[in-house]
Amino acid sequence: MLFLYGFALLAGIATAIEPGQNAGLAKSLARPLLAGVVSLVVSVAAICVAMLVTGQYGWPTLDRLTQVPWWAWLGGVMSAGLTMAQLSVSARIGAATFLGLIVTAGVVTSILLDHFGLVGFKVHEAGLWRILGGALMIGGVALVARF
């Protein structure tokens, strides 16, 4: 279990660094959308290597594919939107504000997803402390953006 928390922390660190990398690529190429394609191609290649290393490769059966909920197919659209935001927004508003907005929006949205049990999450009611935590994050990101 400790490994999972460590992996999540590393993902958080990567989330802070990646927008600058993608914005730098977009600036260097002078083609932000092409930089997005390059970034996503590198992502796909990295995931393919991980599949080979872990032995988790191969295609699912047609029966398995038909069981996928409609909303699960939209994850790639979300990734593309995040990449485009990194390419066009992060350098303009700064790393702290950009990441603060992303993390805060993610936490507030996650509270709602948990509360209503949406997109495959189990219901975890949004009690007073969770709502207060989300509100404090909104206040925190407002301070980071302002100063």
Side-chain angles (χ1 to χ4, degrees):
M1 187 68 152
L2 187 58
F3 168 76
L4 297 177
Y5 286 101
F7 195 47
L9 287 172
L10 288 175
I13 292 167
T15 301
I17 296 169
E18 182 186 18
Q21 292 172 315
N22 283 341
L25 183 62
K27 183 178 179 181
S28 295
L29 296 179
R31 301 271 190 268
L33 295 179
L34 175 61
V37 170
V38 170
S39 178
L40 293 173
V41 166
V42 171
S43 295
V44 168
I47 291 170
C48 287
V49 168
M51 288 170 59
L52 290 172
V53 169
T54 62
Q56 296 182 24
Y57 51 85
W59 292 100
T61 64
L62 183 60
D63 184 50
R64 173 75 69 177
L65 288 172
T66 61
Q67 294 176 20
V68 176
W70 68 269
W71 45 263
W73 295 104
L74 300 177
V77 174
M78 301 291 178
S79 292
L82 176 59
T83 300
M84 286 189 284
Q86 291 173 350
L87 295 167
S88 60
V89 176
S90 65
R92 292 182 181 156
I93 66 174
T97 301
F98 181 75
L99 188 59
L101 288 168
I102 287 176
V103 170
T104 300
V107 168
V108 171
T109 302
S110 296
I111 292 169
L112 292 169
L113 294 173
D114 282 350
H115 182 76
F116 294 107
L118 300 173
V119 296
F121 290 106
K122 294 180 182 176
V123 172
H124 188 120
E125 291 188 23
L128 174 64
W129 295 112
R130 291 184 119 213
I131 293 170
L132 180 59
L136 287 171
M137 289 190 73
I138 292 169
V141 79
L143 287 173
V144 168
R146 175 75 169 101
F147 300 105

